Amino acid sequence: MATPQAREEALLTVRKVTLRFGGLTSLSEVDLSLYRGEIRSVIGPNGAGKTSLFNCLTGVYTPQEGTIEFITADGTPTQLVSGPPRRRRSRKPHVVNRAGIARTFQNIRLFAALSAFENVKIAAETRQRTGPIGAMLRLPHARANERRSDARTRELLDFVGLRQVADELASSLPYGVQRRLEIARALATDPALLLLDEPAAGTNPTEKRQLEGLIRRINTDLGVTVLLIEHDMKLVMSVADRVTVLNFGRVIAEGRPEEVQRDPVVVEAYLGSTEEKP
Ligand SMILES: Nc1ncnc2c1ncn2[C@@H]1O[C@H](COP(=O)(O)OP(=O)(O)OP(=O)(O)O)[C@@H](O)[C@H]1O
Ligand SMILES: [Mg+2]
């Protein structure tokens, strides 16, 4: 039996997940085993179901069929979808986040009217236990929690290289910087698994290189497992340990980046689309 230290310990296991919107099947019997400590990329043409998969993992959508199991920090297997067939429920997004899964969005979702610092601090505070009354009365434990959140926020802004823009409004920051800020915010909830939905979209070559380094450091320095949706094949090929390919909601290939890139089934899927070739 595998020990918890085993290299290939599953952190997330998706089995036969099917998601339908009326007559449209956006995910079809998707299987995915994600190992603790890996960087996995999910690629596929537009509309392949990549974001839908993230939405099933984070409680935004409830798939009609299949199971999703996540191992929480204390080692407990947790079912993220449960209930009898007609009353299936996904765990709510904030519950999934507390369990140890954080995400960024394909379309950036920052609090535009708050500073970079405040955007991260709000997320850091969800890790503290001060209730609204404690916070209002500024009880000693509330002040201690606030100091911890401030320190964690500064640490994370440093980590993503954004300390110098801490006081700027999120909406005033360049696009690539906003993407990194969103990553800092996700990290502030101390996830074991980070889901990144096209973090390189709209970024310039310098920002892409910074992002590449950042994803590696998140993985090695923070020990966070990463699931990365990305169309930029150069980035995928350089950071991913393994790649899973979706096409029309189905997994059509999985393997090391160089294997997947050569796979005729994958090449065919991309030739039939307008996407960059893998
Ligand atoms: N809320 C929804 N209602 C209806 N259809 C949806 C919904 N969300 C996703 N879909 C459909 O599911 C399919 C998969 O979409 P999804 O956004 O998961 O693709 P994707 O792989 O992320 O594509 P892209 O690379 O363009 O982001 C598409 O046909 C999409 O129109
Ligand atoms: Mg998408």
Side-chain angles (χ1 to χ4, degrees):
M1 204 180 99
T3 64
Q5 290 76 34
R7 166 100 180 68
E8 302 254 299
E9 182 200 0
L11 176 64
L12 179 84
T13 310
V14 176
R15 281 202 198 93
K16 301 251 169 290
V17 159
T18 294
L19 174 72
R20 298 184 201 93
F21 294 103
L24 186 135
T25 303
S26 109
L27 293 172
S28 187
E29 304 196 340
V30 167
D31 285 330
L32 180 104
S33 274
L34 196 59
Y35 297 105
R36 196 182 289 279
E38 74 172 316
I39 300 179
R40 175 77 63 95
S41 187
V42 176
I43 66 168
N46 286 124
K50 304 178 298 293
T51 299
S52 298
L53 176 64
F54 274 20
N55 285 333
C56 287
L57 300 180
T58 53
V60 178
Y61 298 148
T62 303
Q64 284 81 2
E65 288 161 39
T67 59
I68 303 172
E69 186 180 272
F70 179 68
I71 310 293
T72 53
D74 61 3
T76 315
T78 304
Q79 294 301 325
L80 299 184
V81 188
S82 54
R86 283 172 184 282
R87 292 201 304 280
R88 284 161 62 85
R89 287 278 176 278
S90 284
R91 287 185 187 260
K92 298 234 154 45
H94 70 276
V95 176
V96 174
N97 182 244
R98 223 180 294 138
I101 303 179
R103 74 178 289 184
T104 63
F105 294 88
Q106 187 165 355
N107 304 308
I108 298 176
R109 293 194 197 171
L110 289 163
F111 299 109
L114 296 183
S115 69
F117 189 88
E118 289 163 332
N119 266 279
V120 178
K121 185 175 168 179
I122 285 176
E125 279 175 334
T126 64
R127 273 285 174 253
Q128 310 291 344
R129 287 179 181 273
T130 309
I133 304 215
M136 257 182 331
L137 299 177
R138 298 192 53 78
L139 298 175
H141 76 275
R143 288 202 298 273
N145 282 347
E146 173 137 31
R147 276 196 299 276
R148 266 198 294 275
S149 300
D150 283 347
R152 181 78 180 126
T153 300
R154 277 193 292 274
E155 211 172 77
L156 283 167
L157 287 174
D158 276 347
F159 187 80
V160 302
L162 296 183
R163 177 174 274 213
Q164 70 289 359
V165 298
D167 297 325
E168 312 251 341
L169 281 189
S171 56
S172 73
L173 298 170
Y175 200 72
V177 175
Q178 291 193 20
R179 288 240 176 242
R180 264 187 292 155
L181 180 58
E182 218 191 11
I183 293 174
R185 186 175 66 176
L187 291 173
T189 62
D190 288 337
L193 171 60
L194 177 64
L195 312 179
L196 299 171
D197 196 345
E198 298 197 28
T203 63
N204 65 38
T206 312
E207 289 167 337
K208 281 196 176 79
R209 267 198 309 282
Q210 287 171 338
L211 182 67
E212 189 177 315
L214 178 59
I215 294 172
R216 285 218 182 86
R217 285 190 295 119
I218 288 169
N219 184 245
T220 53
D221 299 3
L222 306 182
V224 172
T225 305
V226 177
L227 188 55
L228 167 72
I229 294 176
E230 192 43 71
H231 283 299
D232 186 298
M233 288 306 145
K234 210 161 140 257
L235 179 63
V236 169
M237 295 301 150
S238 88
V239 301
D241 297 310
R242 291 197 302 168
V243 178
T244 299
V245 189
L246 283 178
N247 193 28
F248 294 113
R250 290 184 180 276
V251 175
I252 58 163
E254 188 175 289
R256 290 201 312 276
E258 61 280 8
E259 291 167 354
V260 161
Q261 201 173 20
R262 287 196 304 263
D263 189 329
V265 176
V266 177
V267 174
E268 175 70 32
Y270 274 84
L271 285 177
S273 82
T274 54
E275 295 294 341
E276 190 183 347
K277 275 189 250 166

